[in-house]
Amino acid sequence: MHLNDSETVHDLVGIGFGPANLSVAIALEESGHPLRAVFLDRKPAFAWHPGLMFAGAEMQVSFTKDLITMRNPRSRFSFLNYLAEQGPDRLAKFINLRTFYPTRVEFNDYYAWAAARFDDQVRWGTDVTEVSAVPGEDGVELLRVSLRDLAGGETGSVLTRNLILAPGGTPHVPEGVELGARVFHASETLERLERTFDDPSAPYHFNIVGSGQTSADVFTHLRRSYPQARITTNVRGFAMRPEDDTHFVNELFLPDFPDWFHGQDDDFRRRIIDGYALAAHTGVSYDLIPRIYREYYEDMVSGGKALSLRRFTELVAARSEPDRAVATYLHLDSGETSRTEADAVVLATGYRYPMPVPALAGLGAYLRMETPERYAIRRDYSVACVEEFAPRVFLQGFAEATHGFSEVLLSLMPVRAAEIVEALAKNASVQTR
Ligand SMILES: Cc1cc2nc3c(=O)[nH]c(=O)nc-3n(C[C@H](O)[C@H](O)[C@H](O)COP(=O)(O)OP(=O)(O)OC[C@H]3O[C@@H](n4cnc5c(N)ncnc54)[C@H](O)[C@@H]3O)c2cc1C
């Protein structure tokens, strides 16, 4: 695809090519619809959360929640088919592992294998900067998607009848924090460590902020990679809590759940989201917690004092200086603040899906908001719009409030992708082209 192609009108442009839009590419191919789709991603090549790709970290969902099995267990895009294609023993040996939970490193390789099947539809290293409406005789018929090639810096644009956004979450940085080489979001952990903390035997002092899965993963990685380091974990509550993937709760991820959830009123949906947060966001893998606790215990027994957990502690300010990170914490129990100097502060503070989406600012007059912070997202994941606006704008990841927890997780991606493709194929702009 050329960077500046004002002749071709695509049926679909996808922003981002992580697992969500990769699922859409698969659903499109398997549907047999002859839609002309192109996907744009700012990364130079496929990489799933590269800053958190710690050796040994495991998936939090079964491999059967791959890109396709939940919808089409016979598909060639399944994780098992990936294994089968990796050489004679790989599938048999994976089966012999007797686990449902491959490592993230292996799953990333599986995703990259699947993504490579769509090389002709993806333009990597391409940042989408803006989307604007192209007015026609009967209102808006097309969208112009503005791009920048990140390697060369050239800009351009493409035209499309429909858009799917799957840009992933935006790393959340608490107020008062100035990012820098020594104060960084956990999503950048591996590259920051490699750049600034290259001595595995140094007695660095790391601060981790947060109590969820990422905090636990970063702790485990730091402990393993820097055995002499001090690690202070700061949590707002009393302690990290286990994720809830018990059987009945996990039915939040059955394929027909979004249908039922979407039909409920806002207050009721809110109660479910608040009540079951441990099923999706805040919980740590059950078997990781005792392993971390053992690290603390062994540190205490050895008199090392390398590990500390500060409870009811909230980060209120942090900045990166050339030789240290300086952080201020509020202790919620005493009301006092304290100042800490460390070698680095790692923010395991999660992700947000901010709305309105900055890249869609130019469509503000056409897309309906349900509240000032949230688009009106239809059951088929398209944003409700004004009448004289023909393009469909689909969102993935943004509809937790109306479609449930599966929005930001892997479980139902294949099902959602197929629903979007079905809606797309019904869109008049595609049928009459
Ligand atoms: C470390 C980690 C592990 C996880 N493990 C699990 C798990 O085990 N089970 C589970 O259910 N969920 C898990 N999740 C949550 C969720 O499944 C993932 O976040 C998933 O990657 C979401 O897929 P996505 O395609 O929506 O977004 P992403 O994977 O974030 O992909 C978005 C893509 O969009 C691109 N992009 C963004 N903006 C632009 C732009 N303007 N222009 C061009 N490209 C752009 C990015 O470069 C990126 O490649 C995990 C999350 C993390 C962070």
Side-chain angles (χ1 to χ4, degrees):
M1 191 201 88
H2 295 297
L3 194 62
N4 215 339
D5 182 357
S6 49
E7 301 299 312
T8 314
V9 177
H10 298 277
D11 294 317
L12 174 67
V13 166
I15 302 179
F17 204 60
N21 266 346
L22 177 51
S23 300
V24 169
I26 292 171
L28 262 176
E29 184 184 296
E30 294 198 341
S31 73
H33 288 302
L35 298 184
R36 199 181 294 129
V38 64
F39 298 89
L40 310 163
D41 198 298
R42 57 163 73 116
K43 288 194 182 124
F46 185 88
W48 186 51
H49 300 305
L52 288 163
M53 219 21 77
F54 303 134
E58 287 172 0
M59 294 299 292
Q60 283 181 279
V61 288
S62 152
F63 70 82
T64 55
K65 293 191 166 177
D66 59 12
L67 291 162
I68 195 66
T69 300
M70 286 286 281
R71 182 172 61 75
N72 176 12
R74 297 176 188 84
S75 169
R76 70 187 178 99
F77 291 102
S78 71
F79 179 69
L80 291 180
N81 189 41
Y82 151 80
L83 290 175
E85 287 198 6
Q86 302 310 302
D89 285 343
R90 182 76 171 268
L91 176 61
K93 290 197 177 187
F94 180 80
I95 291 169
N96 202 32
L97 272 181
R98 293 163 230 205
T99 182
F100 273 105
Y101 302 97
T103 62
R104 275 187 215 150
V105 169
E106 187 173 28
F107 229 62
N108 174 59
D109 194 57
Y110 155 63
Y111 284 147
W113 165 87
R117 304 297 190 269
F118 298 97
D119 264 351
D120 56 336
Q121 291 178 40
V122 186
R123 194 176 203 283
W124 296 104
T126 308
D127 193 27
V128 172
T129 52
E130 195 188 355
V131 180
S132 53
V134 181
E137 276 173 24
D138 302 320
V140 176
E141 282 161 17
L142 299 177
L143 300 175
R144 180 176 298 284
V145 180
S146 302
L147 327 167
R148 187 187 314 115
D149 183 277
L150 292 175
E154 306 96 322
T155 56
S157 67
V158 290
L159 293 172
T160 183
R161 297 184 174 86
N162 299 285
L163 191 72
I164 300 191
L165 262 92
T170 303
H172 174 63
V173 178
E175 257 179 59
V177 173
E178 294 167 32
L179 297 175
R182 292 172 180 276
V183 177
F184 51 87
H185 190 267
S187 55
E188 298 178 358
T189 300
L190 285 178
E191 61 187 85
R192 292 287 180 188
L193 292 178
E194 197 180 306
R195 234 184 284 164
T196 314
F197 302 95
D198 57 357
D199 180 358
S201 60
Y204 297 125
H205 179 202
F206 294 110
N207 267 219
I208 302 172
V209 178
S211 61
Q213 179 67 31
T214 300
S215 167
D217 287 336
V218 170
F219 172 90
T220 307
H221 179 73
L222 292 176
R223 185 73 175 145
R224 204 178 280 164
S225 310
Y226 304 94
Q228 312 301 326
R230 273 172 65 205
I231 306 173
T232 306
T233 302
N234 302 279
V235 303
R236 241 193 324 221
F238 183 73
M240 62 179 77
R241 296 165 73 188
E243 68 175 338
D244 187 349
D245 65 348
T246 51
H247 298 68
F248 289 104
V249 170
N250 215 39
E251 292 202 348
L252 288 163
F253 300 99
L254 289 186
D256 55 2
F257 183 83
D259 214 29
W260 172 80
F261 194 68
H262 193 262
Q264 305 306 310
D265 71 44
D266 231 20
D267 281 350
F268 191 70
R269 288 192 299 233
R270 185 74 255 159
R271 263 193 283 155
I272 293 178
I273 295 285
D274 292 344
Y276 292 90
L278 284 171
H281 294 301
T282 50
V284 178
S285 292
Y286 202 83
D287 50 353
L288 196 51
I289 294 176
R291 281 193 250 149
I292 292 176
Y293 195 81
R294 178 169 281 275
E295 292 287 343
Y296 276 84
Y297 183 75
E298 286 177 1
D299 178 55
M300 186 181 76
V301 169
S302 72
K305 296 197 178 117
L307 305 181
S308 48
L309 173 69
R310 299 205 295 180
R311 306 176 192 280
F312 302 115
T313 298
E314 185 174 292
L315 181 71
V316 290
R319 65 174 192 277
S320 185
E321 296 188 353
D323 59 344
R324 68 197 141 168
V326 182
T328 307
Y329 292 100
L330 170 64
H331 301 283
L332 299 167
D333 46 358
S334 65
E336 288 170 4
T337 54
S338 67
R339 184 177 183 275
T340 301
E341 290 190 4
D343 289 295
V345 174
V346 187
L347 306 170
T349 43
Y351 297 81
R352 300 284 187 273
Y353 282 80
M355 289 178 267
V357 175
L360 298 186
L363 304 184
Y366 307 101
L367 303 181
R368 292 195 197 283
M369 303 294 293
E370 192 151 307
T371 71
E373 296 84 34
R374 176 148 63 78
Y375 291 112
I377 304 178
R378 299 187 188 109
R379 172 63 189 90
D380 67 6
Y381 303 95
S382 65
V383 184
C385 52
V386 299
E387 231 169 67
E388 63 280 13
F389 185 82
R392 291 288 192 92
V393 176
F394 295 91
L395 300 179
Q396 296 192 87
F398 292 83
E400 182 180 273
T402 46
H403 293 61
F405 289 122
S406 53
E407 260 306 273
V408 291
L409 297 175
L410 301 172
S411 294
L412 291 184
M413 277 187 188
V415 178
R416 180 178 65 190
E419 289 171 352
I420 290 175
V421 167
E422 201 186 320
L424 201 54
K426 281 190 202 143
N427 185 0
S429 73
V430 169
Q431 286 186 342
T432 57
R433 73 184 153 91

